[in-house]
Every structure is written in structure tokens, then in C-alpha cells.
């Protein structure tokens, strides 16, 4: 018999990678997607199966983390062996604009799932993974951050996730649930939402004359989402539930991320000025690298840009309270789960840039349209 998994947030970055990973392991994967006026399943279209196909291994249900009855019905119907609660309003800056909704989805949403499992008498059967976050550390109390580091959340998103973290721990202790938190540091990929800083940059490098950024000095510990979904799975395969930091242990400024992304296409940028007047100027093009990566046909356009400002700062992207530094210590995951990341920052940026160069060519020049079918784990 195949194991059955339920993934909330299956249409998101992590949900898409995890769905493919579990299907390849022989699972039947159920996913919760939100009703939307446009198709919102782009990231999992390569896994989709028509409802008339027999023995499907991917089944989607309409639902929402703010709707207890809906969640309880779905969990009752499918009786999952594992639930991965990845659904969330996941953008820190947006959480300052939508704090109440964020608390409802990211905080109470976790409670709704735990209660559904308890009320349906599924505690002995169902294991639960909660998508916790390094944003919990916020104003960091210790460097690097590990499982025992005190939390100090700095946004409505992080405060909502703090509730999600502790209600998971509480249900584990109170009802002996197999419920675990993955405290994942930032993880990115070609599927990352386009308003997160890494993807905003890799999209902008080939597409935009000048990109406006927020705090260039903040530092993040970035990994690849493909590596991080392997950790989620490993956490639920342990005999005992527990909480794990998942991180690379290396931190980098936004400024250096920009430098590295431009360097992928052979372009050197130089930062000048300070604070809101800081800019980056296109200084030099290594034409051999550029031609290899992007193609000769685009070179003239870029040559004309030497000396131009390609990065600026716009205070609208500053956060009312910022998390300046994140760097994780994943020793527990390495020793107990045997988890190691395969990607480093350079190979992550290369993966994202290669994908976005392809998109840039499609969108701005070739006008091909359509989507390629990609298997993320090939
Ligand atoms: P993402 O790409 O933004 O995906 C979020 C998913 O949640 C999407 O499928 C979204 O649906 C869904 N969703 C949002 N609100 C919902 C609601 N009320 N009801 C049901 N579904 C809802 O995020 P991600 O990067 O994959 O992250 C996955 C999880 O890990 C999130 O909980 C995030 O907070 C957490 N996390 C992420 C990182 C990171 O660096 N990526 C780090 C630590 C923790 P739509 O597609 O319809 O919007
Ligand atoms: P977060 O760590 O979950 O908030 O992930 P983000 O990718 O949204 O932001 C990472 C860091 O990049 C934060 O410290 C932001 O303040 C900083 N940052 C600087 N400029 C930007 C920008 O233009 N957009 C975003 N999203 N973040 C930016």
C-alpha cells in the first residue's frame, strides 16, 4: 500500500518540489489549493493528472487554512499518514499590510490542522510537519541560531509563525502527537515567488534597466528549496517527533547576492554612495562569459549600458522592523537526519539565473509563450 501525504500550500515553491519528491518515492499525494480566478497550479502542472485517470498519485482539493470545516473534511476523507503544513501568507513585508489575515492563516491555520487530526482520532496514524521559519529568531539573540536559541520575532508574519511553532510543540506534548517543526532558513529556487529578494534580483538582471531594492546590508543564509524539502521528509521519518534547524551555515549580504547574480552573465557591478543614495553601476562586461550564458544577439544592448546605474534603493522596500542577520547551525539535522545540502550559494544562483535567462529570452525576444515540462529532480 502506498503511503498517503497531504500537502497544504502545494501550489507554492516548496509544495511543488515536495509533491514531486514524494510521488517519486511512491506516495499518493493530496494537495490543498485555493480557489482563484486564474489558474494557480503552474508549479505543479507537470505532475497533474486528469481526474479520469485511474490510480492517480496527485489529487487536488479546494481549501483554505482559514476554513476549519473544509480542512477537517479533507483530512477525514483522505486519512493521511503524513501532513506537511506548508500553506502560509509567506511574505514578511506583506504581513505588515495584512497582519490580521496573516495571523489567521499562519497562526490559527496550524491549530486547525492539529485539532482536525485530534478530533478525527488520527493521532496514532498521522504525522505532522509544520513549516516554521528562521524569521522566528528576528532580532537575533545568538549567532549562529540553533534549536535552543530564544526567539524574538520582528514582523506580523514571524509573530503568527511563533504561535504555529508553539501550538505544534504543545500538541506534541499534550496529546503525544507526532508533530515536528522544521525551522527552515531562507530557501530559494527557480520557483521562488518573484517578490522575494533573490528571485526579484535574478529576474531583474536580464530584464530591467534599473532595479530598486530595500535594505542592501541585511544578511541571509540561503539554501536551495530542493535540498530543504528532503529535510522535511526526513523529519517525518524519525521515530520521535522533534524540531530541527535547516540551514547552510553561510550568510551573505543582499549586495553580494546582487554582485554574484550579475557575475553569472559576466557583468561586473560597482556599488557607490550610501543609504538611500546607494547605487550600483554597470562597470565591465566579460564578453566571453556573456555570450556563453546569454548569447551574442543581446550583447550590444548590454554594451550600451556600461556606466549606467542598474541598482538603486527605494525606501518603500524597507520594513518597519527588520531582521538584519540570519545564519543557522544545522548540526542537529546533520547528525540525527544525516541531512546535508547539495547546493551552495553559487550553484543556487547559477540554477536561478539559467532559468531566468531562459524566461527573459522567451518573454522579451522570442515571444514563444507556453511552458516547458520540467522534472525538478532530474
Ligand atoms: P510560497 O511559495 O509563498 O507558497 C505558499 C503556499 O501557501 C501557496 O501554495 C499558497 O497558495 C498557499 N496559501 C497561502 N495562503 C493560504 C491559505 N489561506 N489557505 C491555503 N493555502 C494558502 O511559500 P514557500 O516558499 O513554498 O514556503 C512554504 C512554507 O514554508 C510557508 O509556510 C513559508 O512561510 C515557510 N517558510 C518558507 C521559507 C522560504 O525561505 N521559502 C523559509 C521558512 C519557512 P497560492 O499559490 O494560491 O498563493
Ligand atoms: P525574508 O527573509 O523572508 O523577509 O525574505 P525576503 O527575500 O523577502 O527578504 C530577505 C531580505 O532582503 C530582507 O532583509 C529584506 O529587507 C531584504 N531586501 C532588500 N531589498 C529587498 C527587496 O527589494 N525585496 C525584498 N523582498 N527584500 C529585500
Amino acid at each position: 500500500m502506498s503511503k498517503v501525504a497531504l500537502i497544504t500550500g502545494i501550489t507554492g515553491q516548496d509544495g511543488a518540489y515536495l509533491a514531486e519528491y514524494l510521488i517519486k518515492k511512491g506516495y499518493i499525494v493530496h494537495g490543498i489549493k485555493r480557489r482563484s480566478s486564474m489558474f494557480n497550479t503552474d508549479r505543479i502542472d507537470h505532475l497533474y493528472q486528469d481526474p479520469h485517470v485511474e490510480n492517480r498519485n496527485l489529487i487536488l482539493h479546494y481549501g483554505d487554512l482559514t476554513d476549519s470545516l473544509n480542512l477537517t473534511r479533507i483530512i477525514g476523507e483522505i486519512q493521511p499518514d503524513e501532513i506537511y503544513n506548508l500553506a502560509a501568507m509567506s511574505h514578511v513585508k506583506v504581513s505588515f499590510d495584512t497582519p490580521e489575515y496573516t495571523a489567521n492563516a499562519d497562526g490559527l491555520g496550524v491549530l486547525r490542522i492539529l485539532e482536525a487530526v485530534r478530533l478525527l482520532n488520527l493521532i496514532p496514524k498521522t504525522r505532522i510537519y509544520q513549516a516554521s521559519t528562521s524569521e522566528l529568531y528576528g532580532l537575533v539573540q545568538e549567532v549562529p541560531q540553533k534549536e535552543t536559541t530564544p526567539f524574538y520575532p520582528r514582523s506580523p508574519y514571524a509573530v503568527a509563525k511563533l504561535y504555529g511553532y508553539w501550538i505544534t510543540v504543545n500538541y506534541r506534548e499534550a496529546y503525544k502527537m507526532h508533530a515536528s517543526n522544521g525551522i527552515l532558513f531562507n530557501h530559494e529556487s527557480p520557483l521562488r515567488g518573484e517578490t522575494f529578494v533573490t528571485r526579484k534580483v535574478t529576474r531583474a538582471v536580464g530584464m530591467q534597466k534599473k532595479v530598486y531594492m530595500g535594505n542592501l546590508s541585511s544578511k541571509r543564509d540561503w539554501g536551495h528549496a530542493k535540498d530543504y524539502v528532503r529535510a522535511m521528509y526526513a523529519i517525518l521519518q524519525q521515530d520521535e517527533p522533534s524540531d530541527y534547524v535547516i540551514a547552510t551555515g553561510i550568510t551573505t549580504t543582499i549586495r553580494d547576492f546582487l554582485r554574484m547574480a550579475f557575475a553569472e552573465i559576466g557583468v561586473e557591478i560597482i556599488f557607490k554612495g550610501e543609504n538611500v543614495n546607494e547605487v550600483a553601476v554597470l562597470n565591465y562586461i566579460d564578453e566571453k562569459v556573456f555570450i556563453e550564458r546569454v548569447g551574442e544577439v543581446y550583447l550590444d544592448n548590454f554594451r550600451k549600458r556600461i556606466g549606467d546605474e542598474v541598482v538603486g534603493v527605494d525606501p518603500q522596500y524597507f520594513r518597519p522592523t527588520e531582521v538584519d542577520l540570519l545564519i543557522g547551525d544545522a548540526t542537529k539535522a546533520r547528525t540525527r537526519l544525516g541531512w546535508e545540502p547539495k547546493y551552495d550559494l553559487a550553484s543556487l544562483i547559477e540554477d536561478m539565473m539559467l532559468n531566468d535567462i531562459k524566461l527573459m529570452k522567451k518573454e522579451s525576444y522570442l515571444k514563444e509563450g507556453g511552458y516547458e515540462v520540467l522534472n525538478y529532480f532530474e
Side-chain angles (χ1 to χ4, degrees), residues 94-106:
V94 175
S95 77
F96 286 96
D97 301 326
T98 60
E100 182 183 344
Y101 170 71
T102 304
N104 193 357
D106 299 14

Side-chain angles (χ1 to χ4, degrees), residues 8-15 32 34 40 43 63-66 85-90 101 105-106 131-134 157 161 184-188 192-193 196:
T8 71
I10 195 166
T11 58
Q13 169 187 255
D14 293 3
I32 292 181
R34 297 192 287 182
N40 59 355
R43 292 185 176 106
D64 200 292
L65 275 198
T66 59
N85 183 35
L86 309 186
M89 200 310 286
S90 66
Y101 170 71
D106 299 14
S132 286
T133 166
S134 54
Y157 167 75
K161 285 279 188 180
L184 271 51
F185 281 61
N186 295 50
H187 46 282
E188 321 293 313
R192 184 62 148 151
F196 293 93

Side-chain angles (χ1 to χ4, degrees), residues 265-280:
I265 59 167
V267 170
E268 182 190 59
I269 56 170
I270 291 185
F271 285 89
K272 297 179 175 170
E274 277 178 27
N275 305 321
V276 291
N277 297 318
E278 186 166 355
V279 294

Side-chain angles (χ1 to χ4, degrees), residues 92 135 186 195 197 200 213-215 218 220 254 319 322:
V92 170
E135 291 291 322
N186 295 50
T195 59
V197 74
K200 176 169 166 176
M213 308 293 302
N215 178 5
S218 82
R220 287 293 181 273
I254 310 302
R319 282 115 195 244
E322 173 66 299

Side-chain angles (χ1 to χ4, degrees), residues 104-303:
N104 193 357
D106 299 14
L108 289 179
V110 186
L111 174 70
R112 293 183 181 107
I113 300 233
L114 294 162
E115 264 297 90
V117 169
R118 190 174 80 87
L119 296 175
L120 291 162
N121 296 320
L122 285 171
I123 292 176
K125 177 180 169 77
T126 306
R127 297 180 173 197
I128 300 171
Y129 172 88
Q130 167 55 18
S132 286
T133 166
S134 54
E135 291 291 322
L136 294 172
Y137 297 118
L139 191 64
V140 296
Q141 304 292 297
E142 186 179 27
V143 179
Q145 297 85 51
K146 52 182 185 286
E147 291 80 2
T148 49
T149 304
F151 297 137
Y152 194 133
R154 290 270 280 175
S155 61
Y157 167 75
V159 175
K161 285 279 188 180
L162 186 74
Y163 178 84
Y165 173 91
W166 281 117
I167 200 69
T168 301
V169 173
N170 182 242
Y171 270 54
R172 175 167 81 217
E173 293 174 352
Y175 305 118
K176 309 285 172 271
M177 278 192 171
H178 196 298
S180 302
N181 286 287
I183 307 171
L184 271 51
F185 281 61
N186 295 50
H187 46 282
E188 321 293 313
S189 73
L191 299 186
R192 184 62 148 151
E194 296 182 4
T195 59
F196 293 93
V197 74
T198 55
R199 190 79 200 288
K200 176 169 166 176
V201 169
T202 60
R203 282 293 270 152
V205 167
M207 287 285 285
Q208 268 171 257
K209 278 207 161 103
K210 182 169 178 179
V211 60
Y212 288 91
M213 308 293 302
N215 178 5
L216 295 172
S217 300
S218 82
K219 292 179 160 181
R220 287 293 181 273
D221 178 335
W222 284 295
H224 197 301
K226 270 191 195 176
D227 283 332
Y228 286 39
V229 300
R230 288 193 290 104
M232 296 176 187
Y233 170 76
I235 289 170
L236 287 202
Q237 307 320 305
Q238 302 307 299
D239 290 339
E240 296 301 324
S242 192
D243 308 315
Y244 294 88
V245 160
I246 304 297
T248 69
I250 292 170
T251 195
T252 309
T253 60
I254 310 302
R255 205 176 277 108
D256 281 338
F257 187 95
L258 276 151
R259 280 196 194 98
M260 290 172 78
F262 275 97
E264 269 304 310
I265 59 167
V267 170
E268 182 190 59
I269 56 170
I270 291 185
F271 285 89
K272 297 179 175 170
E274 277 178 27
N275 305 321
V276 291
N277 297 318
E278 186 166 355
V279 294
V281 172
L282 199 161
N283 189 51
Y284 168 77
I285 303 174
D286 182 329
E287 299 197 350
K288 193 165 163 272
V289 175
F290 186 94
I291 291 167
E292 230 172 71
R293 283 287 154 99
V294 191
E296 198 158 4
V297 62
Y298 310 105
L299 184 58
D300 254 2
N301 268 336
F302 267 79
R303 273 204 201 106

